[in-house]
């Protein structure tokens, strides 16, 4: 049974899309729900994606209600633990988690449902998510300017031949294990687990799958944003979080060009990438 993860835009397109009629979208939503009930597929989601969906409320409350209803109806109990919770649990488990241990508990799920149905909470979460995205983008842009300045750029643009340098770094010199260990050491600093747990610990894709995929994606972003000068987006942090969820789904449904380009550097056949049209074909909508 395939496990799907839809990004925010895919949920939105299932409610409103210029390429499909209202009747086609209604059929698609019904078939998506029916397929989950029959066990043809299952759908997982993450709380950061829900935060993005909540932002829809401020501009279009009616659309938000439609998306929210579809999400909760199809995802059900399959809300993934957040990244920090996953990397702690994977560390103690020695690798991949199995259901139901990969999902948030019932009490937490009920709290999220109440929040998603409370107008004031929805507005607050939407505003916080928007600010977090702006802050993330500004921080990344400042960091890029500093790197370029350190490399001798006078105008804030990428110095010549920087792409080749980052291609070489990404292909041969990046310390993926070291970056993963740095993330895990941050867990020690936040007292998520004792330092003794990391003594002589060597992170691998097998024993730290979520952290490994998250860092792999972030390093690919470094290549694209610093080496190739790709635009830095407010949603880059959530994109990395979605990729960090990849050990727990088989199909990522997204039309986001930046996310797909980044994933093309690191996927290596670990999961399939679908676009919205492929999703509609899967649902028998033509």
């Amino acid at each position: 049974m395939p496990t799907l993860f839809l990004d925010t835009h895919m949920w939105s397109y299932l409610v409103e899309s210029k390429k499909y009629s209202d009747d086609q979208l209604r059929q698609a939503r019904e078939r998506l729900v029916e397929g989950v009930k029959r066990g043809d597929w299952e759908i997982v989601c993450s709380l950061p994606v829900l935060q993005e969906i909540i932002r829809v409320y401020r501009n279009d409350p009616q659309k938000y209600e439609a998306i929210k209803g579809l999400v909760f109806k199809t995802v059900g109990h399959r809300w993934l633990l957040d990244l920090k919770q996953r990397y702690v649990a994977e560390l103690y488990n020695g690798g991949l988690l199995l259901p139901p241990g990969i999902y948030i508990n019932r009490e937490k799920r009920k709290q999220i449902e109440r929040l998603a149905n409370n107008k004031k909470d929805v507005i607050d979460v939407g505003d916080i998510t928007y600010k977090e995205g702006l802050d993330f983008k500004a921080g990344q842009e400042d960091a890029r300017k500093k790197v370029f300045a350190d490399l001798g750029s006078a105008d804030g643009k990428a110095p010549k031949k920087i792409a080749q340098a980052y291609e070489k770094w990404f292909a041969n010199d990046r310390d993926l294990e070291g970056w993963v260990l740095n993330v895990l050491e941050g867990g020690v600093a936040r007292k998520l687990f004792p330092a003794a747990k990391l003594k002589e610990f060597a992170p691998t894709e097998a024993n730290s799958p979520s952290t490994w995929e998250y860092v792999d994606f972030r390093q690919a972003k470094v290549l694209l944003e610093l080496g190739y000068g790709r635009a830095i987006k407010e949603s880059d942090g959530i994109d990395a979080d979605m990729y960090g969820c990849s050990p727990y789904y088989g199909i990522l449904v997204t039309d986001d060009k930046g996310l797909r380009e980044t994933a093309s550097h690191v996927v290596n056949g670990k999961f399939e990438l679908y676009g919205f049209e492929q999703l509609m074909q899967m649902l028998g909508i033509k």
Side-chain angles (χ1 to χ4, degrees), residues 9-33 63 66-67 70 74 276-277 279-281 283-286:
H9 292 296
M10 298 301 98
W11 290 111
S12 178
Y13 292 165
L14 282 166
V15 170
E16 183 178 85
S17 171
K18 294 179 180 179
K19 293 185 177 181
Y20 296 90
S21 69
D22 290 344
D23 187 59
Q24 287 176 309
L25 294 175
R26 178 188 56 76
Q27 291 182 54
R29 294 192 296 271
E30 290 175 352
R31 292 177 186 181
L32 190 69
V33 173
K63 184 177 181 180
I67 297 172
L70 180 62
T74 51
F276 188 65
E277 290 190 10
L279 175 64
M280 294 296 275
Q281 289 170 9
L283 296 172
I285 307 296
K286 299 180 180 178

Side-chain angles (χ1 to χ4, degrees), residues 79-81 85-86 89-90 97-105 248:
W79 289 95
L80 296 171
L81 295 172
Q85 291 175 311
R86 286 203 314 278
E90 290 169 354
L97 305 172
L98 297 175
I102 187 54
Y103 304 129
I104 63 176
N105 61 39
Y248 299 100

Side-chain angles (χ1 to χ4, degrees), residues 166 169-170 174 176 179 212-230 240 243 258-267:
Y166 273 99
W169 167 79
F170 190 78
R174 63 184 178 131
L176 184 53
W179 281 41
W212 190 274
E213 302 303 342
Y214 173 81
V215 169
D216 201 9
F217 188 92
R218 290 295 300 133
Q219 288 189 335
K221 272 293 183 187
V222 170
L223 169 65
L224 294 173
E225 293 174 355
L226 293 180
Y228 300 155
R230 296 291 190 271
Y243 195 87
L259 194 157
R260 293 176 75 93
E261 181 184 20
T262 309
S264 71
H265 285 76
V266 291
V267 169

